[in-house]
Amino acid sequence: MIQLQNVHKYFFKDEPREVHALNDINLTIEDGEFTLFSGPSGCGKTTLLNAIGALDSIESGKIFFNDKEISSLSEEERTTIRLNEMGFVFQAYNLVPVLSVEENIGFIMKLRGFSDTQIRERVLEVASMLEIENKLSSLPHALSGGQQQRVAVARAVAAKPKVILADEPTANLDSKNSKALMDMMRDLNEKEGVSILFASHDEYILKSVRRVVKLSDGALL
């Protein structure tokens, strides 16, 4: 589903402090993967995730998504790919504070033009899977960190993307909520068939995934 060929990414390019954030990355991600990008802080795992998600540009190389080269697309074209094909879970949740849980979960579906009936049915389905169906009328500020992260996961999966990209999704959670979230995401991976890629060094994610891709100084180990 995803293929990276000789991908390079620099920070502070052509400056004395130039950093090779991604160094000649060659990688293939198949449909249905449950995979972790792992390594110490600054190793390139989040940069790699953002490159795959068409959030960051690259200096050289190619990135393919479902046989389409996305690394050469315009920002407008990349935005369309992100909206229609990908879901994102961020460390900071990034929920819309003035929208209810139900509205947050259905937000991407609404942008994609689903009907109100389709949105309502799907929101109820994923909220039930993630055990937040009794919070649908609540605003984000009324939720615990673990509940907010479940809402973020529900929003990411609601529109049935091909892949979910999760950057440190358990960073703000305690061990109990980290384990619960990973159990639920593994269930989503198996039941929905969605590929899920993590960037993290969390032990609960490391224990849960089926594949670990290790990085050091921007290169694959």
Side-chain angles (χ1 to χ4, degrees), residues 94-136:
N94 288 7
L95 302 179
V96 183
V98 297
L99 298 184
S100 68
V101 167
E102 181 176 358
E103 291 167 331
N104 266 286
I105 296 174
F107 187 68
I108 303 302
M109 295 185 71
K110 194 170 187 66
L111 291 178
R112 287 182 55 185
F114 285 81
S115 70
D116 289 344
T117 299
Q118 289 174 314
I119 293 173
R120 177 65 179 171
E121 290 177 351
R122 181 61 173 165
V123 167
L124 289 174
E125 181 182 11
V126 296
S128 178
M129 291 176 68
L130 290 164
E131 300 178 3
I132 48 174
E133 66 272 23
N134 62 337
K135 300 292 184 180
L136 291 177

Side-chain angles (χ1 to χ4, degrees), residues 18-221:
E18 179 176 283
V19 175
H20 211 143
L22 296 177
N23 188 1
D24 197 27
I25 301 293
N26 290 278
L27 181 68
T28 298
I29 304 292
E30 304 290 352
D31 282 326
E33 286 207 24
F34 198 63
T35 292
L36 169 65
F37 298 150
S38 176
S41 296
C43 71
K45 55 186 182 292
T46 293
T47 305
L48 177 57
L49 201 72
N50 289 344
I52 290 172
L55 291 168
D56 282 350
S57 60
I58 58 175
E59 260 67 53
S60 62
K62 295 180 180 180
I63 301 175
F64 294 89
F65 184 82
N66 286 337
D67 296 323
K68 183 173 186 178
E69 186 186 349
I70 61 173
S71 47
S72 63
L73 298 178
S74 68
E75 180 54 39
E76 182 178 358
E77 291 170 322
R78 290 160 64 185
T79 298
T80 299
I81 292 286
R82 290 195 298 265
L83 176 63
N84 293 320
E85 307 287 350
M86 300 176 178
F88 297 87
V89 180
F90 300 99
Q91 179 178 340
Y93 315 139
N94 288 7
L95 302 179
V96 183
V98 297
L99 298 184
S100 68
V101 167
E102 181 176 358
E103 291 167 331
N104 266 286
I105 296 174
F107 187 68
I108 303 302
M109 295 185 71
K110 194 170 187 66
L111 291 178
R112 287 182 55 185
F114 285 81
S115 70
D116 289 344
T117 299
Q118 289 174 314
I119 293 173
R120 177 65 179 171
E121 290 177 351
R122 181 61 173 165
V123 167
L124 289 174
E125 181 182 11
V126 296
S128 178
M129 291 176 68
L130 290 164
E131 300 178 3
I132 48 174
E133 66 272 23
N134 62 337
K135 300 292 184 180
L136 291 177
S137 61
S138 300
L139 292 174
H141 72 81
L143 306 179
S144 68
Q147 290 168 338
Q148 289 187 59
Q149 194 61 298
R150 292 185 194 191
V151 175
V153 173
R155 178 183 58 190
V157 77
K160 296 189 175 182
K162 298 289 194 307
V163 61
I164 291 176
L165 306 171
D167 187 17
E168 300 284 5
T170 60
N172 298 318
L173 305 181
D174 59 25
S175 58
K176 179 181 178 182
N177 280 306
S178 294
K179 184 179 184 304
L181 181 68
M182 287 309 301
D183 288 344
M184 291 175 185
M185 292 190 79
R186 186 169 55 246
D187 286 344
L188 286 171
N189 168 255
E190 294 172 354
K191 294 176 181 178
E192 299 274 328
V194 59
S195 299
I196 304 180
L197 308 180
F198 301 91
S200 181
H201 54 266
D202 191 306
E203 63 178 291
Y204 291 99
I205 298 180
L206 182 63
K207 292 176 181 178
S208 299
V209 296
R210 290 189 288 272
R211 180 186 181 192
V212 178
V213 177
K214 294 184 178 181
L215 294 99
S216 178
D217 297 326
L220 294 184
L221 296 178

